[in-house]
Amino acid sequence: LVVAGDDAGDFRIARTDCGGGLVPTRACALEIVFEPSGAGLRTGRIEARTDSGVEPALVLLGGTGEVR
């Protein structure tokens, strides 16, 4: 599992019970932290990559950074 995308640095996997990866029919949980580096819309994605050449499963991420 990796964080990718234009603003990937604004998101991080804080906690997971996925271990080294996923196997078919298994579920896992992720805790994602959003720490925007700038104002406005920030986007990224979690990619569940495979070693079989299949396209990765994606979870889209988004948030809005505010100037304080």
Side-chain angles (χ1 to χ4, degrees):
L1 299 172
V2 297
V3 180
D6 292 339
D7 303 309
D10 292 352
F11 303 89
R12 67 180 167 83
I13 300 172
R15 188 173 23 184
T16 180
D17 64 359
C18 299
L22 288 173
V23 296
T25 72
R26 181 172 174 246
C28 71
L30 299 170
E31 180 181 317
I32 307 299
V33 174
F34 175 55
E35 297 173 321
S37 61
L41 180 62
R42 316 300 290 174
T43 61
R45 64 187 175 273
I46 301 292
E47 294 184 358
R49 298 180 178 169
T50 70
D51 57 3
S52 64
V54 175
E55 291 291 319
L58 303 177
V59 177
L60 301 178
L61 305 171
T64 303
E66 296 180 2
V67 176
R68 294 185 181 233

